[in-house]
Amino acid sequence: MGTDKKPGSIVHLGAGALSGVTSCVLLQPFDLVKTRLQQTQLQTHARGMGTIANTVKSIVASSGVRGLWRGTLPSLIRNAPGTSLYFYFLNHTKHMCLATERRLTNDATRTRLSPTSNMVIGASSRAVAGFLLMPGTILKVQFESSLYKHAGIAGAVRNIWRSSGVRGFFVGAVPTAIRDAPYAGLYLLLYEAIKHQERTIAKQRNVLVPETAVTMVAGVAAGLAASYITQPFDMVKTRMQLRPREYTSVAQSFARIYSEETIRGFFRGISLRVLRKGVQASLVFTLYEWVLRSTSSREESSPAKLRA
């Protein structure tokens, strides 16, 4: 990652918001079904509620097809600014790390970050953005669950405040950070490495590969790998946010899930999360980088138009 001339902060915020909104609306059903699967214990599989197909049928039967998009508004409230802030922090930390690496290596022409730096900036950017948007995450998960019947966003905020105060908006912050920081760090490391490898192979074979194809393939591959590795923390986060009286801490949640559901319990909804994360990551980064390229192209062509 990294070139000397980049679009301004507003462009990064706007590109992040656009990619966040698009992926959120398109992929909301995956998140909804995943949350419904994770909210209950593994034993419910025996009663026919443990499969993806039965969960989807149940939602459609009770709420229609529109029910699959339940929780879209709180998802937008969380994901649009969340993705925007993530890319904003990512851009700024990237330039700081690149400047540091140039000094350490005494190479002023360096344009690519090291794998370690990619992991650090991905993890730190996601952790900061995730913590700031934690109240939105709580609203999103509760709206997706069938355990809560909030009367709108304002009603949900009042209910959470009355029952738990400020702490209620940050339940599960630790497992969320433990999940998101490693995920984002691993994702960015793999994403940049795969992109570089794709470009190298294409150059060696003298094949012209569209940049959009490069980013999409790298996004899907990196998203799939990082999702599998961090899945147990996603399960713990969901249980703590939906059933805080039963799952009171990270250690207690891990122990309880393992004792009652074995290792399989940590991977409920894994196929949905992996599929959603792979597609979402590819879509988000492809859109984001496309907006940056388009903006840079317009800025470079403007002087020529003025001279003409």
Side-chain angles (χ1 to χ4, degrees), residues 31 34 38 78 126 130 134 137 140-141 172-186 226-227 229-238 241 273 276-277:
D31 244 5
K34 176 185 74 74
Q38 289 185 340
R78 189 257 181 227
R126 178 62 69 188
M134 194 65 204
T137 302
K140 170 184 175 296
V141 171
V174 173
T176 298
I178 295 173
R179 177 200 67 175
D180 286 352
Y183 170 85
L186 284 168
S227 295
I229 294 170
T230 58
Q231 169 63 18
F233 295 101
D234 186 65
M235 171 59 78
V236 170
K237 173 202 76 82
T238 302
Q241 290 174 344
R273 179 170 184 259
R276 174 188 170 278
K277 279 290 188 180

mmCIF file of all heavy atoms in Angstrom, residues 31 34 38 78 126 130 134 137 140-141 172-186 226-227 229-238 241 273 276-277:
data_model
loop_
_atom_site.group_PDB
_atom_site.id
_atom_site.type_symbol
_atom_site.label_atom_id
_atom_site.label_comp_id
_atom_site.label_asym_id
_atom_site.label_seq_id
_atom_site.Cartn_x
_atom_site.Cartn_y
_atom_site.Cartn_z
ATOM 1 N N ASP A 31 -26.161 -11.556 7.669
ATOM 2 C CA ASP A 31 -25.934 -11.187 9.060
ATOM 3 C C ASP A 31 -27.122 -11.573 9.936
ATOM 4 O O ASP A 31 -26.948 -12.041 11.060
ATOM 5 C CB ASP A 31 -25.698 -9.673 9.166
ATOM 6 C CG ASP A 31 -24.304 -9.350 9.666
ATOM 7 O OD1 ASP A 31 -23.512 -10.293 9.842
ATOM 8 O OD2 ASP A 31 -24.005 -8.172 9.882
ATOM 9 N N LYS A 34 -27.210 -15.373 10.460
ATOM 10 C CA LYS A 34 -26.081 -15.745 11.325
ATOM 11 C C LYS A 34 -26.384 -15.434 12.785
ATOM 12 O O LYS A 34 -26.137 -16.251 13.677
ATOM 13 C CB LYS A 34 -24.808 -15.015 10.893
ATOM 14 C CG LYS A 34 -23.609 -15.276 11.794
ATOM 15 C CD LYS A 34 -22.420 -14.439 11.403
ATOM 16 C CE LYS A 34 -22.598 -12.998 11.799
ATOM 17 N NZ LYS A 34 -22.439 -12.769 13.262
ATOM 18 N N GLN A 38 -26.669 -18.007 15.965
ATOM 19 C CA GLN A 38 -25.740 -17.899 17.080
ATOM 20 C C GLN A 38 -26.428 -17.575 18.402
ATOM 21 O O GLN A 38 -25.833 -17.778 19.465
ATOM 22 C CB GLN A 38 -24.698 -16.814 16.779
ATOM 23 C CG GLN A 38 -23.712 -17.206 15.701
ATOM 24 C CD GLN A 38 -22.629 -16.167 15.505
ATOM 25 O OE1 GLN A 38 -22.779 -15.013 15.887
ATOM 26 N NE2 GLN A 38 -21.530 -16.565 14.895
ATOM 27 N N ARG A 78 -24.475 1.801 11.992
ATOM 28 C CA ARG A 78 -23.173 1.316 12.467
ATOM 29 C C ARG A 78 -22.146 1.217 11.342
ATOM 30 O O ARG A 78 -21.008 1.656 11.474
ATOM 31 C CB ARG A 78 -23.367 -0.050 13.125
ATOM 32 C CG ARG A 78 -22.108 -0.541 13.846
ATOM 33 C CD ARG A 78 -21.403 -1.575 13.033
ATOM 34 N NE ARG A 78 -20.212 -2.050 13.738
ATOM 35 C CZ ARG A 78 -19.034 -2.175 13.169
ATOM 36 N NH1 ARG A 78 -18.858 -1.834 11.911
ATOM 37 N NH2 ARG A 78 -18.011 -2.633 13.840
ATOM 38 N N ARG A 126 -9.154 -0.803 12.752
ATOM 39 C CA ARG A 126 -10.428 -1.477 13.026
ATOM 40 C C ARG A 126 -10.780 -1.398 14.500
ATOM 41 O O ARG A 126 -11.959 -1.227 14.856
ATOM 42 C CB ARG A 126 -10.350 -2.935 12.578
ATOM 43 C CG ARG A 126 -11.604 -3.754 12.867
ATOM 44 C CD ARG A 126 -12.810 -3.195 12.139
ATOM 45 N NE ARG A 126 -12.708 -3.386 10.710
ATOM 46 C CZ ARG A 126 -13.539 -2.862 9.823
ATOM 47 N NH1 ARG A 126 -14.525 -2.080 10.242
ATOM 48 N NH2 ARG A 126 -13.383 -3.069 8.531
ATOM 49 N N GLY A 130 -14.098 0.403 15.592
ATOM 50 C CA GLY A 130 -15.065 -0.504 16.214
ATOM 51 C C GLY A 130 -15.499 -0.049 17.584
ATOM 52 O O GLY A 130 -16.684 -0.125 17.936
ATOM 53 N N MET A 134 -19.328 1.127 18.825
ATOM 54 C CA MET A 134 -19.845 -0.001 19.590
ATOM 55 C C MET A 134 -21.345 0.115 19.897
ATOM 56 O O MET A 134 -22.078 -0.881 19.795
ATOM 57 C CB MET A 134 -19.055 -0.139 20.891
ATOM 58 C CG MET A 134 -19.267 -1.460 21.603
ATOM 59 S SD MET A 134 -18.629 -2.817 20.611
ATOM 60 C CE MET A 134 -19.605 -4.166 21.234
ATOM 61 N N THR A 137 -23.201 -1.228 17.090
ATOM 62 C CA THR A 137 -23.105 -2.685 16.998
ATOM 63 C C THR A 137 -24.134 -3.357 17.902
ATOM 64 O O THR A 137 -24.774 -4.343 17.511
ATOM 65 C CB THR A 137 -21.688 -3.145 17.393
ATOM 66 O OG1 THR A 137 -20.732 -2.522 16.532
ATOM 67 C CG2 THR A 137 -21.558 -4.663 17.288
ATOM 68 N N LYS A 140 -27.538 -3.027 16.301
ATOM 69 C CA LYS A 140 -27.605 -3.902 15.132
ATOM 70 C C LYS A 140 -27.888 -5.350 15.528
ATOM 71 O O LYS A 140 -28.796 -5.993 14.989
ATOM 72 C CB LYS A 140 -26.289 -3.815 14.365
ATOM 73 C CG LYS A 140 -26.109 -4.837 13.255
ATOM 74 C CD LYS A 140 -24.717 -4.700 12.653
ATOM 75 C CE LYS A 140 -24.452 -5.784 11.628
ATOM 76 N NZ LYS A 140 -24.434 -7.138 12.208
ATOM 77 N N VAL A 141 -27.136 -5.856 16.493
ATOM 78 C CA VAL A 141 -27.286 -7.261 16.897
ATOM 79 C C VAL A 141 -28.652 -7.513 17.532
ATOM 80 O O VAL A 141 -29.297 -8.527 17.263
ATOM 81 C CB VAL A 141 -26.150 -7.662 17.867
ATOM 82 C CG1 VAL A 141 -26.415 -9.033 18.464
ATOM 83 C CG2 VAL A 141 -24.813 -7.653 17.151
ATOM 84 N N GLY A 172 -19.753 -6.626 25.368
ATOM 85 C CA GLY A 172 -19.083 -7.392 24.319
ATOM 86 C C GLY A 172 -17.997 -6.621 23.597
ATOM 87 O O GLY A 172 -17.501 -7.068 22.559
ATOM 88 N N ALA A 173 -17.600 -5.463 24.152
ATOM 89 C CA ALA A 173 -16.572 -4.660 23.485
ATOM 90 C C ALA A 173 -15.232 -5.399 23.405
ATOM 91 O O ALA A 173 -14.522 -5.292 22.401
ATOM 92 C CB ALA A 173 -16.384 -3.327 24.218
ATOM 93 N N VAL A 174 -14.912 -6.153 24.453
ATOM 94 C CA VAL A 174 -13.631 -6.870 24.475
ATOM 95 C C VAL A 174 -13.578 -7.979 23.422
ATOM 96 O O VAL A 174 -12.649 -8.013 22.600
ATOM 97 C CB VAL A 174 -13.333 -7.429 25.878
ATOM 98 C CG1 VAL A 174 -12.082 -8.312 25.841
ATOM 99 C CG2 VAL A 174 -13.130 -6.287 26.867
ATOM 100 N N PRO A 175 -14.574 -8.904 23.403
ATOM 101 C CA PRO A 175 -14.509 -9.924 22.351
ATOM 102 C C PRO A 175 -14.653 -9.341 20.950
ATOM 103 O O PRO A 175 -14.108 -9.897 19.984
ATOM 104 C CB PRO A 175 -15.682 -10.865 22.676
ATOM 105 C CG PRO A 175 -16.588 -10.069 23.547
ATOM 106 C CD PRO A 175 -15.690 -9.154 24.327
ATOM 107 N N THR A 176 -15.369 -8.222 20.830
ATOM 108 C CA THR A 176 -15.478 -7.573 19.521
ATOM 109 C C THR A 176 -14.109 -7.082 19.067
ATOM 110 O O THR A 176 -13.708 -7.273 17.912
ATOM 111 C CB THR A 176 -16.462 -6.384 19.574
ATOM 112 O OG1 THR A 176 -17.753 -6.864 19.924
ATOM 113 C CG2 THR A 176 -16.546 -5.692 18.222
ATOM 114 N N ALA A 177 -13.366 -6.446 19.988
ATOM 115 C CA ALA A 177 -12.022 -5.963 19.660
ATOM 116 C C ALA A 177 -11.079 -7.128 19.374
ATOM 117 O O ALA A 177 -10.264 -7.070 18.444
ATOM 118 C CB ALA A 177 -11.479 -5.114 20.802
ATOM 119 N N ILE A 178 -11.198 -8.199 20.186
ATOM 120 C CA ILE A 178 -10.342 -9.371 19.994
ATOM 121 C C ILE A 178 -10.639 -10.035 18.648
ATOM 122 O O ILE A 178 -9.747 -10.599 18.008
ATOM 123 C CB ILE A 178 -10.534 -10.381 21.147
ATOM 124 C CG1 ILE A 178 -10.045 -9.766 22.461
ATOM 125 C CG2 ILE A 178 -9.783 -11.678 20.862
ATOM 126 C CD1 ILE A 178 -10.345 -10.624 23.670
ATOM 127 N N ARG A 179 -11.906 -9.956 18.217
ATOM 128 C CA ARG A 179 -12.278 -10.512 16.914
ATOM 129 C C ARG A 179 -11.856 -9.582 15.779
ATOM 130 O O ARG A 179 -11.227 -10.002 14.807
ATOM 131 C CB ARG A 179 -13.787 -10.730 16.849
ATOM 132 C CG ARG A 179 -14.282 -11.236 15.490
ATOM 133 C CD ARG A 179 -15.765 -10.977 15.290
ATOM 134 N NE ARG A 179 -16.058 -9.542 15.190
ATOM 135 C CZ ARG A 179 -17.267 -9.060 14.919
ATOM 136 N NH1 ARG A 179 -18.275 -9.883 14.747
ATOM 137 N NH2 ARG A 179 -17.464 -7.753 14.845
ATOM 138 N N ASP A 180 -12.216 -8.295 15.898
ATOM 139 C CA ASP A 180 -12.057 -7.360 14.782
ATOM 140 C C ASP A 180 -10.606 -6.961 14.511
ATOM 141 O O ASP A 180 -10.201 -6.829 13.353
ATOM 142 C CB ASP A 180 -12.875 -6.094 15.025
ATOM 143 C CG ASP A 180 -14.366 -6.336 14.830
ATOM 144 O OD1 ASP A 180 -14.725 -7.437 14.368
ATOM 145 O OD2 ASP A 180 -15.163 -5.426 15.132
ATOM 146 N N ALA A 181 -9.841 -6.734 15.588
ATOM 147 C CA ALA A 181 -8.455 -6.297 15.382
ATOM 148 C C ALA A 181 -7.621 -7.372 14.663
ATOM 149 O O ALA A 181 -6.987 -7.080 13.634
ATOM 150 C CB ALA A 181 -7.818 -5.897 16.709
ATOM 151 N N PRO A 182 -7.610 -8.627 15.157
ATOM 152 C CA PRO A 182 -6.867 -9.657 14.420
ATOM 153 C C PRO A 182 -7.428 -9.901 13.017
ATOM 154 O O PRO A 182 -6.670 -10.115 12.071
ATOM 155 C CB PRO A 182 -7.027 -10.915 15.294
ATOM 156 C CG PRO A 182 -7.318 -10.390 16.653
ATOM 157 C CD PRO A 182 -8.129 -9.156 16.439
ATOM 158 N N TYR A 183 -8.772 -9.858 12.900
ATOM 159 C CA TYR A 183 -9.379 -10.061 11.577
ATOM 160 C C TYR A 183 -8.880 -9.010 10.594
ATOM 161 O O TYR A 183 -8.436 -9.330 9.488
ATOM 162 C CB TYR A 183 -10.906 -10.000 11.660
ATOM 163 C CG TYR A 183 -11.556 -9.965 10.295
ATOM 164 C CD1 TYR A 183 -11.806 -11.139 9.599
ATOM 165 C CD2 TYR A 183 -11.872 -8.749 9.687
ATOM 166 C CE1 TYR A 183 -12.356 -11.110 8.323
ATOM 167 C CE2 TYR A 183 -12.420 -8.708 8.414
ATOM 168 C CZ TYR A 183 -12.666 -9.886 7.738
ATOM 169 O OH TYR A 183 -13.200 -9.841 6.473
ATOM 170 N N ALA A 184 -8.979 -7.735 11.006
ATOM 171 C CA ALA A 184 -8.583 -6.649 10.114
ATOM 172 C C ALA A 184 -7.089 -6.685 9.816
ATOM 173 O O ALA A 184 -6.665 -6.404 8.689
ATOM 174 C CB ALA A 184 -8.970 -5.304 10.727
ATOM 175 N N GLY A 185 -6.288 -7.019 10.841
ATOM 176 C CA GLY A 185 -4.848 -7.107 10.633
ATOM 177 C C GLY A 185 -4.481 -8.221 9.659
ATOM 178 O O GLY A 185 -3.720 -8.019 8.713
ATOM 179 N N LEU A 186 -5.052 -9.408 9.897
ATOM 180 C CA LEU A 186 -4.804 -10.540 9.007
ATOM 181 C C LEU A 186 -5.329 -10.256 7.603
ATOM 182 O O LEU A 186 -4.685 -10.577 6.604
ATOM 183 C CB LEU A 186 -5.483 -11.802 9.555
ATOM 184 C CG LEU A 186 -4.803 -12.495 10.730
ATOM 185 C CD1 LEU A 186 -5.740 -13.544 11.328
ATOM 186 C CD2 LEU A 186 -3.507 -13.144 10.278
ATOM 187 N N ALA A 226 -9.339 -14.909 6.955
ATOM 188 C CA ALA A 226 -9.398 -14.177 8.223
ATOM 189 C C ALA A 226 -10.674 -14.497 8.999
ATOM 190 O O ALA A 226 -10.674 -14.537 10.236
ATOM 191 C CB ALA A 226 -9.304 -12.674 7.957
ATOM 192 N N SER A 227 -11.777 -14.755 8.305
ATOM 193 C CA SER A 227 -13.051 -15.070 8.966
ATOM 194 C C SER A 227 -12.985 -16.389 9.719
ATOM 195 O O SER A 227 -13.473 -16.499 10.851
ATOM 196 C CB SER A 227 -14.185 -15.126 7.940
ATOM 197 O OG SER A 227 -14.398 -13.866 7.353
ATOM 198 N N ILE A 229 -10.382 -17.884 10.974
ATOM 199 C CA ILE A 229 -9.474 -17.800 12.119
ATOM 200 C C ILE A 229 -10.120 -17.104 13.313
ATOM 201 O O ILE A 229 -9.897 -17.474 14.468
ATOM 202 C CB ILE A 229 -8.175 -17.075 11.713
ATOM 203 C CG1 ILE A 229 -7.415 -17.923 10.678
ATOM 204 C CG2 ILE A 229 -7.286 -16.796 12.923
ATOM 205 C CD1 ILE A 229 -6.250 -17.207 10.033
ATOM 206 N N THR A 230 -10.969 -16.098 13.063
ATOM 207 C CA THR A 230 -11.537 -15.284 14.152
ATOM 208 C C THR A 230 -12.975 -15.657 14.509
ATOM 209 O O THR A 230 -13.594 -14.983 15.331
ATOM 210 C CB THR A 230 -11.484 -13.792 13.773
ATOM 211 O OG1 THR A 230 -12.209 -13.587 12.537
ATOM 212 C CG2 THR A 230 -10.053 -13.329 13.579
ATOM 213 N N GLN A 231 -13.513 -16.731 13.939
ATOM 214 C CA GLN A 231 -14.907 -17.106 14.175
ATOM 215 C C GLN A 231 -15.282 -17.318 15.652
ATOM 216 O O GLN A 231 -16.344 -16.864 16.092
ATOM 217 C CB GLN A 231 -15.252 -18.362 13.364
ATOM 218 C CG GLN A 231 -16.587 -19.012 13.704
ATOM 219 C CD GLN A 231 -17.789 -18.125 13.413
ATOM 220 O OE1 GLN A 231 -17.681 -17.166 12.667
ATOM 221 N NE2 GLN A 231 -18.928 -18.465 14.001
ATOM 222 N N PRO A 232 -14.461 -18.007 16.469
ATOM 223 C CA PRO A 232 -14.860 -18.216 17.871
ATOM 224 C C PRO A 232 -15.149 -16.920 18.616
ATOM 225 O O PRO A 232 -16.063 -16.860 19.449
ATOM 226 C CB PRO A 232 -13.649 -18.950 18.464
ATOM 227 C CG PRO A 232 -13.064 -19.687 17.307
ATOM 228 C CD PRO A 232 -13.217 -18.748 16.149
ATOM 229 N N PHE A 233 -14.413 -15.872 18.330
ATOM 230 C CA PHE A 233 -14.645 -14.594 18.993
ATOM 231 C C PHE A 233 -15.953 -13.952 18.539
ATOM 232 O O PHE A 233 -16.598 -13.231 19.302
ATOM 233 C CB PHE A 233 -13.473 -13.644 18.738
ATOM 234 C CG PHE A 233 -12.189 -14.116 19.350
ATOM 235 C CD1 PHE A 233 -11.219 -14.736 18.589
ATOM 236 C CD2 PHE A 233 -11.960 -13.963 20.713
ATOM 237 C CE1 PHE A 233 -10.048 -15.198 19.162
ATOM 238 C CE2 PHE A 233 -10.794 -14.412 21.302
ATOM 239 C CZ PHE A 233 -9.839 -15.033 20.526
ATOM 240 N N ASP A 234 -16.340 -14.225 17.304
ATOM 241 C CA ASP A 234 -17.630 -13.713 16.812
ATOM 242 C C ASP A 234 -18.774 -14.357 17.580
ATOM 243 O O ASP A 234 -19.756 -13.689 17.940
ATOM 244 C CB ASP A 234 -17.765 -13.996 15.318
ATOM 245 C CG ASP A 234 -19.014 -13.373 14.723
ATOM 246 O OD1 ASP A 234 -19.104 -12.126 14.709
ATOM 247 O OD2 ASP A 234 -19.910 -14.113 14.276
ATOM 248 N N MET A 235 -18.665 -15.650 17.845
ATOM 249 C CA MET A 235 -19.698 -16.345 18.616
ATOM 250 C C MET A 235 -19.786 -15.808 20.040
ATOM 251 O O MET A 235 -20.878 -15.520 20.558
ATOM 252 C CB MET A 235 -19.395 -17.849 18.649
ATOM 253 C CG MET A 235 -20.289 -18.639 19.608
ATOM 254 S SD MET A 235 -22.054 -18.504 19.221
ATOM 255 C CE MET A 235 -22.141 -19.660 17.851
ATOM 256 N N VAL A 236 -18.649 -15.643 20.695
ATOM 257 C CA VAL A 236 -18.623 -15.118 22.065
ATOM 258 C C VAL A 236 -19.219 -13.711 22.113
ATOM 259 O O VAL A 236 -20.006 -13.378 23.004
ATOM 260 C CB VAL A 236 -17.187 -15.117 22.617
ATOM 261 C CG1 VAL A 236 -17.106 -14.355 23.929
ATOM 262 C CG2 VAL A 236 -16.699 -16.554 22.814
ATOM 263 N N LYS A 237 -18.856 -12.882 21.162
ATOM 264 C CA LYS A 237 -19.381 -11.511 21.093
ATOM 265 C C LYS A 237 -20.901 -11.507 20.993
ATOM 266 O O LYS A 237 -21.593 -10.776 21.712
ATOM 267 C CB LYS A 237 -18.794 -10.789 19.882
ATOM 268 C CG LYS A 237 -19.398 -9.417 19.610
ATOM 269 C CD LYS A 237 -19.191 -8.984 18.180
ATOM 270 C CE LYS A 237 -20.105 -9.673 17.214
ATOM 271 N NZ LYS A 237 -21.450 -9.087 17.130
ATOM 272 N N THR A 238 -21.438 -12.348 20.112
ATOM 273 C CA THR A 238 -22.891 -12.383 19.908
ATOM 274 C C THR A 238 -23.615 -12.843 21.158
ATOM 275 O O THR A 238 -24.627 -12.244 21.562
ATOM 276 C CB THR A 238 -23.239 -13.315 18.727
ATOM 277 O OG1 THR A 238 -22.577 -12.851 17.546
ATOM 278 C CG2 THR A 238 -24.744 -13.326 18.480
ATOM 279 N N GLN A 241 -23.634 -10.109 23.832
ATOM 280 C CA GLN A 241 -24.465 -8.958 23.505
ATOM 281 C C GLN A 241 -25.954 -9.272 23.547
ATOM 282 O O GLN A 241 -26.770 -8.392 23.826
ATOM 283 C CB GLN A 241 -24.080 -8.414 22.130
ATOM 284 C CG GLN A 241 -22.705 -7.753 22.122
ATOM 285 C CD GLN A 241 -22.258 -7.347 20.738
ATOM 286 O OE1 GLN A 241 -22.804 -7.801 19.736
ATOM 287 N NE2 GLN A 241 -21.248 -6.488 20.670
ATOM 288 N N ARG A 273 -21.031 -16.450 7.927
ATOM 289 C CA ARG A 273 -20.076 -15.376 8.217
ATOM 290 C C ARG A 273 -18.939 -15.375 7.204
ATOM 291 O O ARG A 273 -18.530 -14.314 6.711
ATOM 292 C CB ARG A 273 -19.507 -15.524 9.629
ATOM 293 C CG ARG A 273 -18.495 -14.431 9.963
ATOM 294 C CD ARG A 273 -18.108 -14.421 11.438
ATOM 295 N NE ARG A 273 -17.210 -13.302 11.702
ATOM 296 C CZ ARG A 273 -15.892 -13.401 11.815
ATOM 297 N NH1 ARG A 273 -15.306 -14.596 11.719
ATOM 298 N NH2 ARG A 273 -15.154 -12.342 12.043
ATOM 299 N N ARG A 276 -20.337 -14.145 3.867
ATOM 300 C CA ARG A 276 -20.629 -12.710 3.932
ATOM 301 C C ARG A 276 -19.345 -11.903 4.015
ATOM 302 O O ARG A 276 -19.180 -10.898 3.320
ATOM 303 C CB ARG A 276 -21.499 -12.403 5.150
ATOM 304 C CG ARG A 276 -21.739 -10.910 5.367
ATOM 305 C CD ARG A 276 -22.437 -10.658 6.689
ATOM 306 N NE ARG A 276 -22.460 -9.249 7.018
ATOM 307 C CZ ARG A 276 -21.475 -8.565 7.577
ATOM 308 N NH1 ARG A 276 -20.344 -9.184 7.870
ATOM 309 N NH2 ARG A 276 -21.590 -7.282 7.840
ATOM 310 N N LYS A 277 -18.418 -12.317 4.880
ATOM 311 C CA LYS A 277 -17.181 -11.559 5.056
ATOM 312 C C LYS A 277 -16.337 -11.561 3.785
ATOM 313 O O LYS A 277 -15.726 -10.549 3.413
ATOM 314 C CB LYS A 277 -16.367 -12.133 6.219
ATOM 315 C CG LYS A 277 -16.824 -11.677 7.588
ATOM 316 C CD LYS A 277 -16.497 -10.212 7.803
ATOM 317 C CE LYS A 277 -16.768 -9.787 9.221
ATOM 318 N NZ LYS A 277 -16.450 -8.343 9.421
#
